[in-house]
Amino acid sequence: MTKPDRTPEPMVGRISVPKSYEVLADKLRQTILDGSLKEGMRLPTERELVSQSGLSRGSVREALRKLEVEGLVKTKLGRSGGNIVSKPGPESMAHVITQFVRGRRLSLRSLQETREALEPGIARLAAEHRTAAEVARLRELNAEMADAIDDSSRFAAVNVAWHTAVATASHNDLLVAFLFSISDDVLVVTISEEYDTPDLRREVLKAHERIIVAIEAGDGDAAFRRMQRHVQATRARTRAREASEESEA
């Protein structure tokens, strides 16, 4: 008796069909990213998009909401309002990176190592590309930090703004966005009373002043070295604190 043929293995896996709002979001996203829809332009109204796409109003709204979360569309109210095309800002990257950092419970060491890898190079670029106004802004922020010498929370917040201003002076949008993205997490760890003291804050001000001098002079090598020493000093203090905690345990 002949045995029946075995059922053949499937030639294709299960096919997943994208939802209609995702298809519309993809089309709109592409036209924004390739420059066909420029920043500041108004998208068609919801009614027009429903008519053009053949989708339901609910699907159109979901697609627009998705683009708004991505920072590609902003909703403007009023007679001259609507859904306006916008460039992705640092907030877009910050949302994703913050989720990554917190979701994976990345350590303080990881954040500090990231700063050590990036910020000296950022300082070098700042020395090469800074404007007089950007140097003035660095001095202004350092003066604000000096005024907050006895207020650790305010000092830490302005400190983060100072480092972001150095990145801005680099004129590299990607580096600015990335440094901005980790700034909230850096802020949390820099207000820890375990290693944040008035004496330390005075040292930070001196380090900042040395970096500003190098940036203003256009000396990229000096800016690199001084920023490197500055961020490495922070890591060294953390290592010392961790070693002390382990010896006491």
Side-chain angles (χ1 to χ4, degrees), residues 120-136:
I122 288 173
R124 185 196 298 278
L125 290 173
E128 294 172 358
H129 303 300
R130 83 282 180 267
T131 65
E134 288 163 344
V135 173

mmCIF file of all heavy atoms in Angstrom, residues 120-136:
data_model
loop_
_atom_site.group_PDB
_atom_site.id
_atom_site.type_symbol
_atom_site.label_atom_id
_atom_site.label_comp_id
_atom_site.label_asym_id
_atom_site.label_seq_id
_atom_site.Cartn_x
_atom_site.Cartn_y
_atom_site.Cartn_z
ATOM 1 N N PRO A 120 34.725 65.496 24.729
ATOM 2 C CA PRO A 120 35.980 66.125 24.298
ATOM 3 C C PRO A 120 35.972 66.457 22.801
ATOM 4 O O PRO A 120 36.415 67.543 22.401
ATOM 5 C CB PRO A 120 37.031 65.065 24.637
ATOM 6 C CG PRO A 120 36.427 64.311 25.782
ATOM 7 C CD PRO A 120 34.975 64.232 25.456
ATOM 8 N N GLY A 121 35.458 65.551 21.979
ATOM 9 C CA GLY A 121 35.362 65.821 20.546
ATOM 10 C C GLY A 121 34.409 66.960 20.244
ATOM 11 O O GLY A 121 34.639 67.763 19.325
ATOM 12 N N ILE A 122 33.325 67.036 21.017
ATOM 13 C CA ILE A 122 32.373 68.137 20.852
ATOM 14 C C ILE A 122 33.058 69.463 21.170
ATOM 15 O O ILE A 122 32.878 70.463 20.453
ATOM 16 C CB ILE A 122 31.149 67.925 21.762
ATOM 17 C CG1 ILE A 122 30.290 66.768 21.219
ATOM 18 C CG2 ILE A 122 30.324 69.197 21.865
ATOM 19 C CD1 ILE A 122 29.148 66.373 22.142
ATOM 20 N N ALA A 123 33.860 69.494 22.235
ATOM 21 C CA ALA A 123 34.568 70.720 22.600
ATOM 22 C C ALA A 123 35.546 71.137 21.503
ATOM 23 O O ALA A 123 35.705 72.327 21.213
ATOM 24 C CB ALA A 123 35.306 70.516 23.925
ATOM 25 N N ARG A 124 36.202 70.154 20.889
ATOM 26 C CA ARG A 124 37.115 70.475 19.782
ATOM 27 C C ARG A 124 36.349 71.141 18.637
ATOM 28 O O ARG A 124 36.790 72.161 18.088
ATOM 29 C CB ARG A 124 37.812 69.208 19.281
ATOM 30 C CG ARG A 124 38.874 69.499 18.210
ATOM 31 C CD ARG A 124 39.249 68.208 17.460
ATOM 32 N NE ARG A 124 39.836 67.208 18.322
ATOM 33 C CZ ARG A 124 41.120 67.186 18.679
ATOM 34 N NH1 ARG A 124 41.932 68.153 18.278
ATOM 35 N NH2 ARG A 124 41.576 66.219 19.450
ATOM 36 N N LEU A 125 35.211 70.566 18.275
ATOM 37 C CA LEU A 125 34.402 71.144 17.207
ATOM 38 C C LEU A 125 33.894 72.530 17.572
ATOM 39 O O LEU A 125 33.812 73.426 16.724
ATOM 40 C CB LEU A 125 33.230 70.220 16.881
ATOM 41 C CG LEU A 125 33.572 68.899 16.190
ATOM 42 C CD1 LEU A 125 32.329 68.018 16.090
ATOM 43 C CD2 LEU A 125 34.163 69.153 14.803
ATOM 44 N N ALA A 126 33.558 72.714 18.855
ATOM 45 C CA ALA A 126 33.095 74.030 19.302
ATOM 46 C C ALA A 126 34.190 75.074 19.116
ATOM 47 O O ALA A 126 33.922 76.214 18.709
ATOM 48 C CB ALA A 126 32.657 73.963 20.761
ATOM 49 N N ALA A 127 35.441 74.690 19.415
ATOM 50 C CA ALA A 127 36.558 75.620 19.227
ATOM 51 C C ALA A 127 36.742 75.980 17.757
ATOM 52 O O ALA A 127 37.153 77.097 17.423
ATOM 53 C CB ALA A 127 37.842 75.009 19.781
ATOM 54 N N GLU A 128 36.414 75.055 16.882
ATOM 55 C CA GLU A 128 36.595 75.289 15.447
ATOM 56 C C GLU A 128 35.453 76.095 14.826
ATOM 57 O O GLU A 128 35.659 76.816 13.844
ATOM 58 C CB GLU A 128 36.725 73.938 14.725
ATOM 59 C CG GLU A 128 37.985 73.157 15.105
ATOM 60 C CD GLU A 128 37.988 71.748 14.541
ATOM 61 O OE1 GLU A 128 36.988 71.370 13.877
ATOM 62 O OE2 GLU A 128 38.983 71.021 14.755
ATOM 63 N N HIS A 129 34.247 75.988 15.404
ATOM 64 C CA HIS A 129 33.073 76.550 14.725
ATOM 65 C C HIS A 129 32.320 77.607 15.524
ATOM 66 O O HIS A 129 31.360 78.179 15.027
ATOM 67 C CB HIS A 129 32.102 75.422 14.371
ATOM 68 C CG HIS A 129 32.700 74.349 13.515
ATOM 69 N ND1 HIS A 129 33.221 74.602 12.265
ATOM 70 C CD2 HIS A 129 32.886 73.019 13.726
ATOM 71 C CE1 HIS A 129 33.694 73.475 11.737
ATOM 72 N NE2 HIS A 129 33.508 72.494 12.608
ATOM 73 N N ARG A 130 32.715 77.884 16.762
ATOM 74 C CA ARG A 130 31.946 78.760 17.642
ATOM 75 C C ARG A 130 31.831 80.170 17.066
ATOM 76 O O ARG A 130 32.674 80.628 16.304
ATOM 77 C CB ARG A 130 32.571 78.826 19.034
ATOM 78 C CG ARG A 130 33.748 79.825 19.175
ATOM 79 C CD ARG A 130 35.026 79.268 18.586
ATOM 80 N NE ARG A 130 36.153 80.189 18.694
ATOM 81 C CZ ARG A 130 36.498 81.055 17.747
ATOM 82 N NH1 ARG A 130 35.740 81.196 16.673
ATOM 83 N NH2 ARG A 130 37.566 81.824 17.885
ATOM 84 N N THR A 131 30.754 80.829 17.476
ATOM 85 C CA THR A 131 30.574 82.244 17.180
ATOM 86 C C THR A 131 30.817 83.041 18.458
ATOM 87 O O THR A 131 30.834 82.479 19.562
ATOM 88 C CB THR A 131 29.159 82.530 16.670
ATOM 89 O OG1 THR A 131 28.222 82.254 17.732
ATOM 90 C CG2 THR A 131 28.816 81.668 15.466
ATOM 91 N N ALA A 132 30.956 84.335 18.299
ATOM 92 C CA ALA A 132 31.153 85.188 19.482
ATOM 93 C C ALA A 132 29.947 85.107 20.405
ATOM 94 O O ALA A 132 30.087 85.092 21.644
ATOM 95 C CB ALA A 132 31.395 86.636 19.044
ATOM 96 N N ALA A 133 28.753 85.026 19.820
ATOM 97 C CA ALA A 133 27.537 84.944 20.629
ATOM 98 C C ALA A 133 27.490 83.646 21.424
ATOM 99 O O ALA A 133 27.025 83.621 22.574
ATOM 100 C CB ALA A 133 26.308 85.054 19.730
ATOM 101 N N GLU A 134 27.986 82.566 20.837
ATOM 102 C CA GLU A 134 27.976 81.277 21.537
ATOM 103 C C GLU A 134 28.982 81.263 22.687
ATOM 104 O O GLU A 134 28.717 80.694 23.749
ATOM 105 C CB GLU A 134 28.248 80.153 20.536
ATOM 106 C CG GLU A 134 27.059 79.913 19.606
ATOM 107 C CD GLU A 134 27.401 79.121 18.360
ATOM 108 O OE1 GLU A 134 28.608 78.994 18.039
ATOM 109 O OE2 GLU A 134 26.461 78.647 17.690
ATOM 110 N N VAL A 135 30.126 81.899 22.485
ATOM 111 C CA VAL A 135 31.096 82.020 23.586
ATOM 112 C C VAL A 135 30.500 82.860 24.712
ATOM 113 O O VAL A 135 30.627 82.520 25.905
ATOM 114 C CB VAL A 135 32.416 82.644 23.084
ATOM 115 C CG1 VAL A 135 33.350 82.927 24.265
ATOM 116 C CG2 VAL A 135 33.107 81.706 22.100
ATOM 117 N N ALA A 136 29.817 83.942 24.335
ATOM 118 C CA ALA A 136 29.175 84.794 25.346
ATOM 119 C C ALA A 136 28.134 84.016 26.126
ATOM 120 O O ALA A 136 27.982 84.194 27.341
ATOM 121 C CB ALA A 136 28.544 86.009 24.668
#
